[in-house]
Amino acid sequence: MSYSYVALGDSLTVGIGASFFLPGFVQRYQILAINELQEPVYVQTFAHPGFQSLDVLLELNNDLIMEQIKYADIITITAGGNDLIQAARKFEEDQNEEDFSIALKRCTDNYRKIIKAINALKVDSVNPYIIRLIDLYNPFPENPLAEKWIKKFNLQLKYFVKVPYILVVQIDRVFKGHEKDYLSIDGIHPNDRGYEKIAEALHHLGFGELSLDLEEE
């Protein structure tokens, strides 16, 4: 028996900020999953730096990605950070905080469509699967505006936890107060310790019904 893991998202899923030749959270989580499930876990990563939530949604129109998701046991998603970054850049120009409200609404809607698309692809699946949504940490804790809208985003993300197989990984709690320890030299992306913490947080959520399968064996 083996498991399939599909990682969707932006630069966090790519692993930007990790040391040369060292993995981001995806490969680290893969290793933890192998140790927990005691079976091979094969990973496919579909992510690009700079991707916003809409870009992740559009990836689900790709035949290869659709096929991989159809048979995936584990799915992780990182998205939303670049949506807020673009809103912040627009805010710098017009000083209109409504820019963040618009970005948050669009991002929430895109997340809803992403999850709906994944569930549609797996509607005929007889095997259990889990989806893990990774919330946003704040690389600018001294900025009240950043704190406000990242908190709002993370609250919206919890809206999708309506079924047992979808859980939110609360990275914001893990990184808060440890930004200097967990962020890379660019001050935005995680460093090696940061990615290890993300992988550990994912692992701590468990593997849902995937673990139940092992117990039945």
Side-chain angles (χ1 to χ4, degrees):
M1 183 179 180
S2 64
Y3 295 90
S4 174
Y5 167 25
V6 172
L8 302 171
D10 51 24
S11 57
L12 294 187
T13 296
V14 173
I16 299 298
S19 300
F20 201 49
F21 288 131
L22 288 181
F25 80 81
V26 172
Q27 295 79 8
R28 294 171 188 267
Y29 180 51
Q30 176 191 20
I31 292 170
L32 293 172
I34 290 171
N35 292 335
E36 177 77 17
L37 299 171
Q38 291 296 297
E39 296 286 354
V41 176
Y42 300 101
V43 62
Q44 290 284 341
T45 301
F46 303 104
H48 298 273
F51 259 18
Q52 297 184 44
S53 58
L54 177 60
D55 298 304
V56 177
L57 173 61
L58 294 176
E59 285 280 84
L60 300 182
N61 292 323
N62 181 294
D63 289 341
L64 171 61
I65 297 175
M66 291 170 66
E67 188 69 12
Q68 292 297 324
I69 288 176
K70 187 175 180 180
Y71 297 104
D73 304 292
I74 303 168
I75 300 169
T76 61
I77 303 172
T78 62
N82 290 312
D83 298 66
L84 293 185
I85 287 174
Q86 289 301 316
R89 289 173 179 168
K90 194 170 187 303
F91 174 78
E92 288 177 359
E93 297 175 359
D94 60 22
Q95 295 297 301
N96 184 358
E97 201 170 339
E98 185 67 16
D99 297 332
F100 292 99
S101 296
I102 294 170
L104 181 59
K105 184 178 184 303
R106 288 175 178 170
C107 189
T108 303
D109 189 49
N110 288 333
Y111 254 105
R112 179 182 59 78
K113 291 176 181 177
I114 288 168
I115 294 171
K116 182 178 180 180
I118 291 172
N119 288 337
L121 288 169
K122 301 184 74 63
V123 68
D124 294 325
S125 175
V126 296
N127 296 321
Y129 63 97
I130 60 173
I131 299 174
R132 300 294 183 248
L133 312 179
I134 299 173
D135 76 4
L136 300 181
Y137 57 86
N138 184 8
F140 310 109
E142 72 288 347
N143 186 323
L145 203 59
E147 186 70 18
K148 173 182 177 179
W149 288 100
I150 287 174
K151 184 177 180 179
K152 283 180 176 290
F153 172 87
N154 290 341
L155 286 173
Q156 286 293 310
L157 209 58
K158 292 179 181 179
Y159 169 80
F160 298 105
V161 185
K162 292 183 175 180
V163 288
Y165 61 87
I166 299 179
L167 292 175
V168 174
V169 189
Q170 296 181 314
I171 299 305
D172 186 46
R173 291 184 178 182
V174 175
F175 276 58
K176 190 175 294 294
H178 300 280
E179 292 82 6
K180 291 182 179 179
D181 298 322
Y182 298 158
L183 295 182
S184 66
I185 194 170
D186 68 10
I188 297 177
H189 296 94
N191 56 21
D192 297 324
R193 288 185 67 189
Y195 280 121
E196 182 66 27
K197 291 296 181 180
I198 295 174
E200 289 174 355
L202 277 162
H203 180 244
H204 288 330
L205 290 182
F207 295 91
E209 292 187 30
L210 303 184
S211 295
L212 293 179
D213 286 349
L214 294 177
E215 294 174 4
E216 291 173 359
E217 294 175 3

